[in-house]
Amino acid sequence: MNETVALLRRPDTIRARCHALLDLATRDALPHFTCHPDRLPEAADYVAETIRRNYPDLRIPYHARWRHFAAGGTDRWGALAARLAGEDPAETARRRFDLCVVSVLLDAGAGPGWSYTEPDGTRLARSEGLGVASLHAFAAGLFSSDPADPLRVDAAALRALGAPRLAAAFQVTEKNPLEGMEGRAALLRNLGTALEENPALFGAEHPRPGGLFDHLRARATADGLPAATILAAVLEGLAPIWPARLTLDGENLGDVWRHPLAAPEGPAPGLVPFHKLSQWLSYSLAEVVEEAGIPVLQLDALTGLPEYRNGGLLLDLGVLALRDPALARQTLPVDHPAIVEWRALTVALLDRLAGAVRDRLGLDAAAMPLARVLEGGTWAAGRRIAREKRPGGGPPLTVASDGTVF
């Protein structure tokens, strides 16, 4: 692998480049945002209050896809898992990897006009709706080429998946539109191809996302498995699936974007990596790995997630402010420098905010890793403040989603 590509996949590179832009923001030297660190204590108070409201016992799970499968207090994965009673635990872990990979890739922003209705009439929107819809599609065997074994995902089924079948599974109609439908279907077809092209990660005979569990298990030591190893495998395995935006020596960079002030001395000057979906997937897979009996080490090597709930929290509470308020009335492409800037500042400020939240809760980083701060936490607080400020609870900035980033 090209050394610069490898550098842009490392979580410490994400963190360093985002903090460098935050340093510029604190010197009032960024083109699109001003930063107001004096508002961080208020933000920390708001997040800590949200955590105590949602988790009075402070027993907070990771910010993972599994939370959405339990939306409304219904343990949907548990109901599916009951059908697997007595199965080899490793095979159950593979199935959980299968489900989680596909579900996370289908999660990119739903838009305000879509929802999913379950057979019992429960109606869910946004991330919860996308998660539950993907779980029902998984349970129905949409992602399996073997009708006798529906609760799995395999390359053959993914490669044959068209947008109309996926749209039907997600109840998409003219009156129930879901943004980025073609992009989501293309992403899953690309995943099918990537599974077949990387047998070392996904298995040779019947390639599936669950093969990644065996790859990671083989790399665990007696102490456990570093979180960065999970992310590295995810980034390697999924690199070919992303739309070709920026490439370097023929390699797709994925969730990496240009900002004129990023890393001017290089290497890869002007580029800021985020890998938001891959990091969220890594947090989600870490939960499965731990429940399979393998401790996950150095979880905080991964970063906070630069998405509109976390970033919206910072805007809505005044930690960040737009220089040009007119941008808030526009729909901006994900590669717009203002969006890149917003995402970078979000990553860096989440580190600072996490420390302040831990202080308020009397917990250290071991008890309250970033994955729990996000869940408890900044994501929930971002949604809460959005509902307080805007009808419908939309974000303070609108980003045009192609179904592969947010």
Side-chain angles (χ1 to χ4, degrees), residues 308-324:
Y308 67 81
R309 289 302 181 198
N310 293 323
L313 173 75
L314 298 167
L315 268 174
D316 281 337
L317 292 179
V319 181
L320 296 175
L322 281 165
R323 291 191 185 276
D324 180 6

Side-chain angles (χ1 to χ4, degrees), residues 24-233:
L24 291 176
T26 59
R27 302 200 301 268
D28 199 27
L30 287 182
H32 297 289
F33 285 90
T34 59
C35 182
H36 306 275
D38 59 304
R39 302 300 298 271
L40 269 174
E42 179 186 343
D45 290 341
Y46 190 86
V47 173
E49 180 197 348
T50 303
I51 289 173
R52 291 191 183 280
R53 177 185 297 189
N54 292 339
Y55 298 96
D57 58 3
L58 300 184
R59 296 179 63 185
I60 306 164
Y62 294 160
H63 186 61
R65 191 50 154 168
W66 306 100
R67 307 291 80 73
H68 295 146
F69 298 147
T74 300
D75 184 7
R76 297 171 183 82
W77 165 251
L80 274 186
R83 292 162 52 179
L84 306 172
E87 182 177 69
D88 172 31
E91 178 58 23
T92 300
R94 293 183 196 103
R95 294 186 193 276
R96 294 185 72 186
F97 267 52
D98 283 346
L99 169 60
C100 206
V101 169
V102 168
S103 185
V104 166
L105 293 180
L106 288 169
D107 185 70
W114 176 85
S115 64
Y116 182 83
T117 303
E118 293 189 276
D120 67 359
T122 301
R123 181 175 172 271
L124 298 160
R126 299 194 182 274
S127 286
E128 287 89 348
L130 292 168
V132 169
S134 67
L135 183 84
H136 282 289
F138 174 81
L142 181 66
F143 310 117
S144 172
S145 62
D146 183 357
D149 191 12
L151 300 183
R152 57 175 285 143
V153 176
D154 60 63
L158 293 176
R159 290 188 63 190
L161 186 60
R165 286 180 65 212
L166 188 62
F170 278 67
Q171 302 176 350
V172 175
T173 65
E174 287 187 6
K175 294 182 179 179
N176 191 36
L178 178 60
E179 293 181 359
M181 204 66 239
E182 291 290 344
R184 293 170 209 266
L187 201 62
L188 292 190
R189 290 194 298 273
N190 291 347
L191 174 62
T193 300
L195 296 176
E196 292 180 336
E197 292 179 348
N198 201 333
L201 284 182
F202 300 114
E205 189 172 350
H206 298 291
R208 58 190 287 196
L212 195 60
F213 174 75
D214 297 291
H215 171 85
L216 293 172
R217 181 171 58 169
R219 277 147 187 79
T221 68
D223 293 328
L225 181 73
T229 301
I230 300 175
L231 177 61

Side-chain angles (χ1 to χ4, degrees), residues 323-334:
R323 291 191 185 276
D324 180 6
L327 290 176
R329 298 190 292 274
Q330 303 173 29
T331 297
L332 302 175
V334 72

Side-chain angles (χ1 to χ4, degrees), residues 336-349:
H336 191 289
I339 298 302
V340 178
E341 199 170 293
W342 182 38
R343 298 182 77 197
L345 294 173
T346 296
V347 169
L349 285 166

Side-chain angles (χ1 to χ4, degrees), residues 341-361:
E341 199 170 293
W342 182 38
R343 298 182 77 197
L345 294 173
T346 296
V347 169
L349 285 166
L350 284 171
D351 282 339
R352 294 192 182 182
L353 189 57
V357 170
R358 292 179 189 121
D359 289 343
R360 282 154 176 76
L361 298 176

